[in-house]
């Protein structure tokens, strides 16, 4: 069975919880990504920051992205997947939490990201269709 480690994009970069949302936006632009894991000073994952979070929760709310810290947007415990978890577990996690990206953890270390597109490339069409349907409905 395919594992997260086999389909993930390696080398995911974090934005520090104490860094500003403006710094996060610049990093997203530089890396060409729409989301970054938020890491604390203890190197533990605190959550995910998406480009949509920046638009809706910062810009749309009239806040200054140079003043808002990335950690302020981390909500609850981050949804993750283990590096050796199989594709069915990835599908279950994405579907049950309605997330399109999962940080991949090996022990306590962030080792990569699995995105909806990674899953689509790696799995049979019926399973991908079920995932897309689950993520498209509210």
């Amino acid at each position: 069975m395919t594992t997260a480690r086999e389909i993930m994009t390696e080398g995911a970069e974090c934005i520090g919880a104490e860094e500003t949302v403006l710094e996060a936006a610049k990093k997203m632009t530089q890396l060409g990504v729409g989301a970054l894991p938020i890491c604390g000073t203890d190197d533990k994952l605190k959550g995910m920051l998406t480009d949509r979070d920046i638009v809706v929760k910062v810009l749309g709310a009239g806040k200054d992205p140079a003043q808002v810290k990335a950690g302020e947007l981390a909500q609850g415990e981050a949804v993750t997947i283990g590096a050796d978890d199989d594709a069915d577990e990835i599908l279950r996690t994405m579907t049950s939490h309605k997330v399109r990206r999962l940080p991949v953890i090996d022990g306590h270390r962030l080792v990569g990201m699995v995105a909806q597109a990674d899953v689509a490339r790696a799995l049979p069409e019926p399973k991908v269709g079920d995932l897309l349907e689950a993520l498209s409905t509210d």
Side-chain angles (χ1 to χ4, degrees):
M1 188 54 139
T2 305
T3 66
R5 189 183 309 274
E6 293 170 312
I7 66 170
M8 72 182 188
T9 301
E10 291 185 53
E13 291 194 35
C14 282
I15 190 71
E18 295 303 313
E19 292 183 74
T20 68
V21 170
L22 180 59
E23 291 166 316
K26 288 178 181 178
K27 191 173 220 179
M28 284 180 189
T29 301
Q30 177 187 32
L31 296 172
V33 297
L36 287 171
I38 303 169
C39 294
T41 53
D42 57 1
D43 275 340
K44 290 196 176 166
L45 192 64
K46 302 298 181 193
M48 288 291 293
L49 177 65
T50 67
D51 47 11
R52 187 173 194 286
D53 291 333
I54 293 171
V55 171
V56 173
K57 298 175 182 173
V58 179
L59 300 176
K63 297 178 181 175
D64 181 355
Q67 299 299 316
V68 177
K69 303 290 186 207
E72 293 175 39
L73 299 180
Q75 298 175 332
E77 193 170 323
V79 178
T80 63
I81 195 81
D84 296 318
D85 287 348
D86 66 27
D88 286 337
E89 184 61 25
I90 295 168
L91 289 171
R92 270 193 301 277
T93 304
M94 284 183 160
T95 302
S96 65
H97 292 279
K98 297 235 182 219
V99 294
R100 290 174 165 79
R101 301 169 189 97
L102 285 172
V104 181
I105 304 295
D106 191 356
H108 292 289
R109 225 178 81 240
L110 176 69
V111 293
M113 294 285 289
V114 171
Q116 179 179 328
D118 299 320
V119 174
R121 282 190 292 271
L123 299 181
E125 283 185 35
K127 288 189 177 199
V128 173
D130 292 343
L131 174 63
L132 293 175
E133 185 178 340
L135 294 178
S136 298
T137 57
D138 284 328

